[in-house]
């Protein structure tokens, strides 16, 4: 089944895209949990962090680089959080690997 993020990548659904290259796309979260809430998404459909294999490491490296770059661009480099929900029990709703990049406020554990 096509994931929502694939539809965004193919421009079938609109999103606020803040970064894109051949491996990664990053968008603003539609329902932000912090003043800055971005989603850094692999273009390859990987179900979750748990399904990453060694072959995917170059993509993960790129995703981490993009997190750092966007943290600077959005002026949160002095305090941010990267989260990836894995599976239903962690609240993962879209089965397509993505990192949440959150910042712009004093982050608590129960945000
Ligand atoms: P997760 O629950 O960890 O799988 O994260 C999915 C995230 O995607 C949630 O934070 C949603 O708010 C976000 N989301 C859902 N639909 C859209 C959309 N159309 N554009 C941007 N973000 C979305």
């Amino acid at each position: 089944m096509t994931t929502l993020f694939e539809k965004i990548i193919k421009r079938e659904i609109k999103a606020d895209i803040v970064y894109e290259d051949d491996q990664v796309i990053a968008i603003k979260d539609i329902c932000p949990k912090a003043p800055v809430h971005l989603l850094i998404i692999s273009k390859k459909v990987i179900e979750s962090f748990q399904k990453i294999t060694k072959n995917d490491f170059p993509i993960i490296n790129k995703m981490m680089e993009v997190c750092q770059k966007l943290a600077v661009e959005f002026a949160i480099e002095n305090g941010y959080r990267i989260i990836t929900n894995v599976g239903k029990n962690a609240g993962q709703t879209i089965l397509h690997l993505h990192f949440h990049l959150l910042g712009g406020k004093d982050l608590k554990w129960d945000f």
Side-chain angles (χ1 to χ4, degrees):
M1 210 177 82
T2 310
T3 70
L4 182 122
F5 292 152
E6 283 176 278
K7 291 181 184 165
I8 287 174
I9 292 163
K10 291 184 199 153
R11 308 299 199 270
E12 291 170 8
I13 292 179
K14 279 199 176 163
D16 197 342
I17 298 169
V18 294
Y19 176 88
E20 185 170 22
D21 63 31
D22 57 328
Q23 291 178 308
V24 176
I25 189 166
I27 63 173
K28 290 189 179 172
D29 196 294
I30 205 166
C31 184
K33 305 289 188 295
V36 178
H37 186 171
L38 307 177
L39 301 173
I40 291 78
I41 303 160
S42 60
K43 283 196 171 173
K44 178 179 174 187
V45 183
I46 301 167
E47 189 180 303
S48 75
F49 189 86
Q50 192 60 25
K51 301 287 184 182
I52 292 167
T53 68
K54 277 189 181 164
N55 291 339
D56 299 321
F57 284 0
I59 299 172
I60 307 308
N61 284 347
K62 178 51 82 74
M63 290 172 77
M64 291 191 295
E65 266 179 33
V66 172
C67 284
Q68 288 182 333
K69 175 183 152 57
L70 289 175
V72 172
E73 253 174 52
F74 282 80
I76 58 166
E77 72 270 31
N78 291 327
Y80 62 86
R81 191 170 289 162
I82 296 169
I83 292 174
T84 187
N85 295 320
V86 179
K88 212 168 78 176
N89 287 355
Q92 185 181 4
T93 55
I94 300 179
L95 301 182
H96 182 154
L97 180 67
H98 54 285
F99 295 159
H100 296 257
L101 177 66
L102 296 137
K105 72 170 188 181
D106 193 10
L107 296 170
K108 308 289 183 204
W109 274 118
D110 58 353
F111 68 93

